[in-house]
């Protein structure tokens, strides 16, 4: 019988080295590589739990920082944790709040004890230490929790990057000591900004700790994609083969492909639902802005090759009308489509890995979609 947290490495693609795996959690099995929809406020925007299941979502991500500020982890705990509160019976991952605190810039002050910051909601003062983040995440009750880390900006000089990386390692030790729940898996986060050497050093030290999994943070923060790919290639051989790797905050179709081919197992990003709410959808011919006038009398689906609810039932003309009329259904249909597009991509990549043809699949994908249309 599998353990509550166990990662099975099922196959490695002979063409690319991409990994096909299976992660066991208390709330179900996750087939990897996997894209995780983001439910920042204990909800994936505009989507119900049943709709998420219909599009193939296996796990969702929620945000420690935002849920701490509103409605508060104590209330969520009294509601039965996130699973009971949001009525989602599949796995959940919570981030640590580190990136959100990092993004506050002028509203925060970092020191060894932790980070003092002001709420973006009302300006109230708060303090997050590694122990604080773990305590909040234990009350939220996700299956997978993340260490509290320090993220470096882009660009970033070597000295600042090293300081943040070393502090992340020290904070990981404090997170490990603070963790009390055996039904939650704590992932470390590999930092080191945009230095191959620092990333490799951090990966080596974290690999030695035998954690259930490792995140890769501080990428896709403004740097060219080639830098991110180079970092992934540098740390891929260092990260443990028998543990899942999670590339945090990355989710455009091209980055999913390139990440999988560089050994990544898990991804999350708000991009799919964010652009959907602005009227942009992913299709098998690249991005499409359905609000554009050219689609006013287009009675075809968003994507003829898509099997989502929106594409099976509604036309581009109708969805454009909904956007122009300010109807909420427009946001819902576009979100359903974009999330299904990404979950289907991951399904196809899992099959291609099993058949040792992921590079062929990727080349066919790019030949139709292009590399720069996302």
């Amino acid at each position: 019988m599998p353990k509550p947290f166990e990662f099975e490495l099922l196959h490695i693609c002979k063409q690319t080295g991409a990994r096909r795996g299976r992660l066991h959690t208390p709330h179900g099995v996750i087939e990897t590589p996997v894209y995780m929809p983001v439910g920042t406020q204990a909800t994936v925007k505009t989507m119900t739990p049943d709709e998420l299941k219909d599009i193939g979502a296996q796990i969702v991500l929620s945000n420690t920082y935002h849920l701490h500020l509103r409605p508060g982890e104590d209330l969520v705990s009294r509601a039965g944790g996130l699973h009971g509160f949001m009525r989602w019976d599949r796995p959940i991952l919570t981030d640590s709040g580190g990136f959100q605190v990092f993004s506050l810039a002028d509203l925060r002050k970092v020191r060894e004890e932790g980070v003092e910051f002001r709420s973006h909601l009302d300006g109230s003062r708060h303090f997050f230490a590694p122990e604080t983040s773990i305590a909040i995440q234990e009350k939220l009750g996700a299956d997978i929790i993340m260490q509290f880390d320090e993220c470096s900006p882009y660009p970033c000089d070597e000295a600042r990057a090293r300081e943040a990386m070393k502090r992340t390692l020290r904070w990981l030790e404090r997170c490990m000591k603070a963790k009390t729940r055996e039904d939650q898996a704590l992932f470390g986060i590999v930092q080191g900004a945009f230095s191959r050497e620092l990333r490799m050093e951090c990966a080596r030290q974290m690999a030695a700790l035998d954690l259930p999994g490792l995140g890769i943070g501080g990428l896709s923060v403004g740097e060219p994609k080639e830098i991110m790919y180079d970092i992934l290639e540098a740390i891929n051989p260092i990260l443990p083969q028998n543990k899942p790797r999670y590339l945090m905050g990355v989710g455009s179709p091209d980055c999913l492909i390139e990440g999988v081919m560089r050994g990544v197992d898990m991804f999350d990003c708000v991009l799919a639902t964010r652009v959907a709410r602005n009227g942009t959808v992913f299709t098998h011919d690249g991005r499409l802005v359905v609000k554009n006038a050219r689609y006013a009398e287009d009675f075809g689906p968003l994507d003829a090759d898509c099997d989502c609810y929106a594409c099976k039932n509604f036309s581009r003309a109708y969805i454009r009308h909904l956007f122009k009329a300010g109807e909420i259904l427009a946001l819902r249909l576009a979100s359903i489509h974009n999330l299904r597009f990404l979950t289907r991509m991951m399904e196809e990549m899992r099959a291609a890995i099993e058949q040792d043809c992921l590079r062929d699949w990727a080349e066919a994908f790019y030949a139709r979609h292009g590399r720069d249309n996302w």
Side-chain angles (χ1 to χ4, degrees), residues 265-283:
D265 305 301
M266 304 168 66
F267 303 82
D268 83 281
C269 192
V270 298
L271 176 69
T273 48
R274 178 176 290 167
V275 300
R277 296 193 300 275
N278 292 322
T280 298
V281 294
F282 303 143
T283 79

Side-chain angles (χ1 to χ4, degrees), residues 332-348:
R332 288 174 38 74
L333 294 177
S335 295
I336 288 170
H337 170 77
N338 277 358
L339 290 175
R340 177 56 187 155
F341 186 92
L342 296 186
T343 58
R344 186 175 175 184
M345 269 187 64
M346 304 311 287
E347 293 168 0
E348 293 177 2

Side-chain angles (χ1 to χ4, degrees), residues 40-57:
T40 300
Q41 306 273 11
T43 177
V44 178
K45 291 187 186 301
T46 79
M47 301 280 289
T48 68
D50 285 344
E51 288 169 339
L52 288 170
K53 292 178 180 179
D54 287 343
I55 59 96

Side-chain angles (χ1 to χ4, degrees), residues 138-310:
E138 289 193 337
K139 288 185 176 181
L140 295 176
D143 301 84
I144 300 171
I145 64 177
M146 304 302 297
Q147 77 152 114
F148 193 60
D149 62 328
E150 183 177 355
C151 184
S152 300
Y154 178 80
C156 182
D157 62 59
E158 182 88 4
R160 184 175 181 184
R162 178 173 290 279
E163 179 184 7
M165 185 270 282
K166 291 291 189 181
R167 181 174 287 128
T168 292
L169 287 166
R170 293 192 297 271
W171 283 358
L172 174 56
E173 292 181 5
R174 290 168 59 185
C175 288
M176 294 171 67
K177 291 178 181 178
K179 180 179 178 295
T180 64
R181 289 184 59 161
E182 294 184 357
D183 60 343
Q184 293 181 304
L186 172 64
F187 282 25
I189 302 176
V190 176
Q191 290 289 358
F194 313 99
S195 162
R196 286 173 61 96
E197 291 70 26
L198 289 178
R199 289 281 181 171
M200 293 166 69
E201 179 183 344
C202 189
R204 288 191 192 97
Q205 293 194 48
M206 288 195 175
L209 297 174
D210 194 31
L211 293 160
L214 289 174
I216 305 163
L219 294 175
S220 192
V221 293
E223 81 282 4
K225 291 179 180 179
E226 291 72 20
I227 293 179
M228 176 172 68
Y229 301 154
D230 183 62
I231 294 294
L232 294 177
E233 289 172 3
I235 64 175
N236 184 7
I238 299 172
L239 299 174
Q241 283 286 302
N242 62 338
K243 303 293 176 66
R245 298 98 171 263
Y246 162 32
L247 180 56
M248 305 177 71
V250 174
S252 64
D254 56 331
C255 288
L256 292 178
I257 294 170
E258 299 300 325
V260 168
M261 291 201 293
R262 290 163 174 82
V264 176
D265 305 301
M266 304 168 66
F267 303 82
D268 83 281
C269 192
V270 298
L271 176 69
T273 48
R274 178 176 290 167
V275 300
R277 296 193 300 275
N278 292 322
T280 298
V281 294
F282 303 143
T283 79
H284 282 80
D285 297 307
R287 282 198 187 202
L288 181 152
V289 183
V290 72
K291 292 193 296 186
N292 287 351
R294 61 185 293 188
Y295 303 114
E297 298 185 22
D298 186 335
F299 302 112
L302 293 174
D303 186 341
D305 291 333
C306 182
D307 60 1
C308 80
Y309 173 79

Side-chain angles (χ1 to χ4, degrees), residues 13 25 57 64 68 87 176 227 233 240 317 331 364:
C13 176
T25 81
T64 297
H68 170 67
R87 309 305 297 171
M176 294 171 67
I227 293 179
E233 289 172 3
L331 283 61

Side-chain angles (χ1 to χ4, degrees), residues 17-162:
R19 297 147 52 87
R20 170 74 174 91
R22 184 170 292 143
L23 177 59
H24 298 265
T25 81
H27 285 88
V29 174
I30 303 164
E31 304 290 342
T32 66
V34 63
Y35 164 76
M36 304 181 286
V38 177
T40 300
Q41 306 273 11
T43 177
V44 178
K45 291 187 186 301
T46 79
M47 301 280 289
T48 68
D50 285 344
E51 288 169 339
L52 288 170
K53 292 178 180 179
D54 287 343
I55 59 96
Q58 303 180 69
I59 173 174
V60 298
L61 179 146
S62 287
N63 186 279
T64 297
Y65 165 84
H66 287 283
L67 293 174
H68 170 67
L69 295 181
R70 182 177 57 191
E73 62 273 15
D74 290 330
L75 185 148
V76 174
S77 179
R78 291 196 298 273
L82 281 174
H83 290 95
F85 192 47
M86 62 191 289
R87 309 305 297 171
W88 175 255
D89 59 5
R90 293 183 180 180
I92 298 174
L93 182 151
T94 45
D95 59 17
S96 66
F99 180 79
Q100 285 69 39
V101 170
F102 154 79
S103 66
L104 292 173
D106 295 338
L107 297 177
R108 62 172 168 81
K109 181 178 180 181
V110 180
R111 58 181 188 268
E112 186 62 26
E113 294 78 12
V115 182
E116 182 180 329
F117 63 94
R118 289 184 177 274
S119 165
H120 71 287
L121 296 174
D122 59 11
S124 58
R125 288 184 180 274
H126 298 265
F127 179 77
F128 265 29
E131 296 81 4
T132 312
S133 176
I134 295 299
I136 294 170
Q137 292 185 83
E138 289 193 337
K139 288 185 176 181
L140 295 176
D143 301 84
I144 300 171
I145 64 177
M146 304 302 297
Q147 77 152 114
F148 193 60
D149 62 328
E150 183 177 355
C151 184
S152 300
Y154 178 80
C156 182
D157 62 59
E158 182 88 4
R160 184 175 181 184
R162 178 173 290 279

